[in-house]
Amino acid sequence: MSVQINEIWQKVVDNVNLSLTPETYNLWIAPLKPLGFENDIFTVAVPNIYFSQWIESHQQKNIEQVLSANLGRQIALQMQPQQDLTPIIAKVENTPAPADVAVAQSAQKDQINQKYLFNRFVVGASNRFAHGCSEAVAKNPGNQFNPLFLYGGVGLGKTHLLHAIGNHIKSSNSVLRVLYVTCETFVSEFIEAIRFGNPASFKNKYRSLDCLLIDDIQFLVGKESSQEEFFYIFNSLYDSRKQIVVSSDRPPKELEKVEERLISRFGWGVTADIQAPDLETRIAILRKKAEDEKLYVPDDVVIYIATQVKSNIRELEGSLLRITAFSAFTGTPLTVDSVQKILKDIVRPPDDSAPVTIENIQKIIAEEFNIELRDMKSKRRTDAVAFPRQIAMYLSRTLTDKFSTTDIGESFGGRDHTTVMHACNKIKEKMNSDPYFNAKLNQIIKKIRSLQ
Ligand code: ADP
Ligand code: MG
């Protein structure tokens, strides 16, 4: 029985996940646990009463529908408050990078997240052109702007626009085959196809699409055979007037170690950049998010957050979620004062400070662990150097915005991106399991930030 309730709950969770942002999902849905199923009542454990309230007003109907559809009769959802709230607050602070949740969202075949729609995208000077091009492509795929190349810094809405294009095309013509894929997935699928000897089915999958939305193309940097394969797929789609939309964290000409012939093709259509949003747009985004999530946030609080969190829309969203969760958990009203306290760890140091660099991270970690700076790049693999090096890789990934795991690998003596990913996972795990280590790392982070 318990296997069965877990399976059913997994279906519910997969379904709910499709329509929530990763942050909302992790905050409210991930902590729920199925408890039992009796007399057509499905019971889940919730950490406390605020969860019951949130689920009731946001998701209960939807969850009951999925349960009923799966069990073939009318099912009611019942929530049982259980633990205390401490672990949940820790969770809010640890919202995952989007890559971590991509896997969880794989329930839908085309990988398109229904949450990311054009009408949820706030348009301002910083993204007007990119948004306009995306809408044009969505209305008329394969015709005018092909390929569409969107680029801009982290958390500025590239992925949102890719999904919005996909959702629009699907809803206006359900016959069209649309696929969203991160470049990372593309590359690993390609490698697997080669490894298991079925490259033909890989090629067919991509060549038979009407619209390919490929995210974070900078991941192709330095990967020659994947680039070549992508080049053929690109040509095949382009020649048959199928739409290609590419996103990148940098403009085409800065994609070093990507073949020239591919870069020149990226320029055949239209290239649009997304800048960091100005204050008005940040305010508008916060208001819209609050409205979408049915959160009440006073105007002066909205303005306070918008003036403090400047660079990145993901952080804006994170701050909003965090303050509303805190206020719900603790019963504190949202005022500028209380918000100031709640956000004090994530509001960045003054904006004119330079961004954190990999060099500084390496330097401080080497000092802290008493090893030579050159060991950050050396081939030595003894624990005494490998562990600090892994920490430095992890911090390079989390404290900087613009470096991919490939870039980071390069800065650590030309190591492979998988080595960097492995290091990040290892350090994350250690932080979760070892409070002493966690505290020490937080101290080091403060030191690194204060040095910039
Ligand atoms: P990127 O892919 O550029 O790193 P995302 O598309 O993942 O950024 O955006 C980060 C978060 O910010 C997402 O939750 C997205 O919905 C939100 N977001 C980004 N731009 C906007 C916007 N203009 N209006 C509303 N939400 C936005
Ligand atoms: Mg993205």
Side-chain angles (χ1 to χ4, degrees), residues 146-149 217 220 227 230-231 234-235 238 244 246 251-271:
N146 202 18
L148 170 60
F149 190 100
I217 200 81
L220 276 187
Q227 279 178 33
F230 183 68
F231 177 75
F234 183 102
N235 287 344
Y238 185 86
I244 304 154
V246 179
K253 65 176 184 337
E254 285 176 25
L255 287 165
E256 286 157 18
K257 297 200 195 156
V258 170
E259 287 184 66
E260 195 45 49
R261 57 181 184 167
L262 193 49
I263 295 197
S264 80
R265 272 162 178 75
F266 288 153
W268 283 359
V270 66
T271 300

Side-chain angles (χ1 to χ4, degrees), residues 182-192 219-220 223 226:
T182 64
C183 188
E184 199 164 353
T185 304
F186 176 87
V187 169
S188 51
E189 272 182 25
F190 172 64
I191 293 169
E192 278 197 14
F219 197 75
L220 276 187
K223 300 193 177 63
S226 303

Side-chain angles (χ1 to χ4, degrees), residues 9 13 24 164-165 175 196 214 286 343 359 363 395 405 416:
W9 185 244
V13 162
T24 311
I165 294 172
V175 180
F196 296 110
I214 184 158
L286 284 169
L343 293 185
E359 284 71 19
K363 202 173 116 234
L395 294 178
T405 46
D416 192 70

Side-chain angles (χ1 to χ4, degrees), residues 374-389:
R374 63 168 182 272
D375 274 335
M376 286 292 164
K377 300 186 185 201
S378 77
K379 299 276 171 249
R380 290 181 58 201
R381 287 162 68 174
T382 56
D383 266 355
V385 294
F387 183 55
R389 194 190 288 133

Side-chain angles (χ1 to χ4, degrees), residues 330-375:
T330 57
T332 328
L334 281 177
T335 62
V336 172
D337 263 4
S338 63
V339 168
Q340 228 164 4
K341 286 195 193 90
I342 298 165
L343 293 185
K344 73 174 183 310
D345 314 331
I346 54 166
V347 167
R348 298 227 160 164
D351 238 74
D352 48 0
S353 67
V356 175
T357 63
I358 295 183
E359 284 71 19
N360 273 346
I361 293 174
Q362 292 178 330
K363 202 173 116 234
I364 291 181
I365 297 293
E367 277 167 14
E368 289 283 334
F369 288 84
N370 250 328
I371 61 169
E372 299 286 339
L373 181 57
R374 63 168 182 272
D375 274 335

